[in-house]
Amino acid sequence: MSVIFRLRDQDSMDESRTLTNSDQELYQSKFDPKTYLDNFYQLSDAPEQKDIRRFVTFVLCQLSQTFSTGKYRGKRLIEVGTGPNIHTLISACEHFEEIVVSDYTDSNRRELEKWIRAEEGCFNWDAHIQFVCDLEGRRTPAVVKETLRQKIKNVLKCDTNLENPFQPVTVEPADCIISSLCLEAACKDQEAYRHSLGAMVGLLRPGGVLVMIGDLNETFYIVGEERFPVLSLSQDFIKKTLCELGLSIQHFILQKDEGTELKSKCNYEAYFYLTALKD
């Protein structure tokens, strides 16, 4: 499958890239994608997982509302900091000719590749896909999976601290960029966040749409036994930064934390979903 060779080719070109801080080393050596997905993305009706279901269904519903109108479509969709996830692409995939997914952590890219190749042991996203199909009432899960696997053309290494996050690979400007829970985990301070968001916006063509999902006022999350730092962000700071970068915010939707189930794993006050157009 061509995406495998593209992934390996980029890794070979990136061998000289050195990690710049301990947080990057922590992700490379300690981040376990399977534990992360089990902890935060299981779509279960179990009472003890109601907060997780509330977050996941919030994201899936917002993405469905954004893309179901057909307003946002084009040649290329790029997801920056995909992690080991594919749920953010379920609603969008039919509206773009090709999709680029990316992540800094090697294990996350391997997990993505396993799902693309339908390998045994990959995370089961069937419940998430079925949920979106039920919302839309048009596509079947089989069609969604086939579409998504065919349209993902590249799995790239991504470092949001770089001016070109995909260095040394150059990707043509996108009609849509999606990023979920990425920059607040990748950036050490507000200035780094501004720089990284600017680099992300630089990947978007004029008139293109940015879709972002994130947490507010969070300082950590835990995967297994490992604690990962998060940059605490406010709604006002995010809005101000987007405007300074030449984006017009279309929607900024908040969902406040109402449960206690996740308090031992992360300390966010609310999660957000936003869409913004590049001027």
Side-chain angles (χ1 to χ4, degrees):
M1 187 173 181
S2 61
V3 69
I4 301 171
F5 295 109
R6 290 182 182 180
L7 173 60
R8 289 175 178 169
D9 286 346
Q10 193 203 22
D11 284 347
S12 66
M13 290 187 287
D14 281 355
E15 285 178 356
S16 62
R17 182 186 294 175
T18 57
L19 295 170
T20 58
N21 57 53
S22 59
D23 290 342
Q24 289 177 317
E25 293 176 4
L26 180 63
Y27 273 92
Q28 283 288 36
S29 62
K30 300 295 185 180
F31 190 86
D32 181 353
K34 291 185 178 297
T35 301
Y36 173 73
L37 292 171
D38 286 341
N39 284 355
F40 294 104
Y41 287 95
Q42 291 285 359
L43 196 55
S44 168
D45 290 325
E48 64 273 15
Q49 292 191 318
K50 64 179 181 179
D51 289 346
I52 296 172
R53 183 178 180 86
R54 184 169 177 264
F55 166 70
V56 174
T57 56
F58 167 79
V59 171
L60 294 177
C61 287
Q62 295 303 323
L63 287 164
S64 177
Q65 289 177 25
T66 295
F67 291 104
S68 62
T69 63
K71 178 181 178 181
Y72 302 120
R73 58 175 60 249
K75 180 178 180 181
R76 182 175 298 104
L77 183 158
I78 297 174
E79 182 161 27
V80 177
T82 309
N85 310 298
I86 61 94
H87 69 292
T88 44
L89 301 169
I90 297 170
S91 291
C93 65
E94 67 174 327
H95 301 291
F96 298 89
E97 296 176 24
E98 61 183 55
I99 296 171
V100 175
V101 295
S102 65
D103 202 76
Y104 180 82
T105 306
D106 298 344
S107 59
N108 283 341
R109 297 197 310 280
R110 286 194 293 268
E111 187 67 27
L112 285 170
E113 194 179 21
K114 285 175 64 176
W115 186 85
I116 294 167
R117 297 187 302 197
E119 288 186 4
E120 184 177 353
C122 67
F123 188 75
N124 187 348
W125 293 100
D126 287 358
H128 306 69
I129 295 171
Q130 183 65 62
F131 181 87
V132 174
C133 288
D134 291 343
L135 282 177
E136 296 175 347
R138 295 184 293 103
R139 298 181 294 167
T140 66
V143 166
V144 172
K145 287 187 279 190
E146 181 181 5
T147 300
L148 190 47
R149 286 177 168 134
Q150 287 180 349
K151 290 191 177 183
I152 295 177
K153 304 300 184 182
N154 297 85
V155 180
L156 298 181
K157 185 157 188 172
C158 172
D159 186 344
T160 60
N161 294 302
L162 302 177
E163 201 65 39
N164 170 16
F166 306 131
Q167 183 181 325
V169 174
T170 300
V171 180
E172 292 182 19
D175 300 283
C176 174
I177 288 178
I178 296 176
S179 189
S180 176
L181 301 169
C182 172
L183 295 187
E184 56 265 57
C187 300
K188 64 179 181 178
D189 54 36
Q190 289 187 348
E191 186 56 39
Y193 185 93
R194 287 190 189 94
H195 178 271
S196 294
L197 185 53
M200 187 187 299
V201 172
L203 300 170
L204 190 63
R205 69 162 178 82
V209 63
L210 171 68
V211 178
M212 287 185 66
I213 300 149
D215 291 334
L216 297 182
N217 300 315
E218 181 182 23
T219 62
F220 75 89
Y221 70 100
I222 294 173
V223 178
E225 300 299 320
E226 297 298 329
R227 182 184 177 105
F228 295 88
V230 178
L231 175 64
S232 180
L233 300 169
S234 69
Q235 181 179 4
D236 288 344
F237 171 75
I238 295 170
K239 285 184 171 181
K240 180 173 181 288
T241 304
L242 288 169
C243 291
E244 290 173 347
L245 292 171
L247 287 102
S248 302
I249 297 171
Q250 305 299 296
H251 301 93
F252 198 118
I253 302 166
L254 288 180
Q255 187 81 37
K256 292 186 177 180
D257 173 38
E258 294 181 356
T260 59
E261 163 197 336
L262 291 174
K263 288 300 185 184
S264 62
K265 298 177 182 177
C266 55
N267 66 338
Y268 68 91
E269 290 184 5
Y271 35 87
F272 69 85
Y273 178 94
L274 71 83
T275 59
L277 296 179
K278 185 175 181 178
D279 297 338

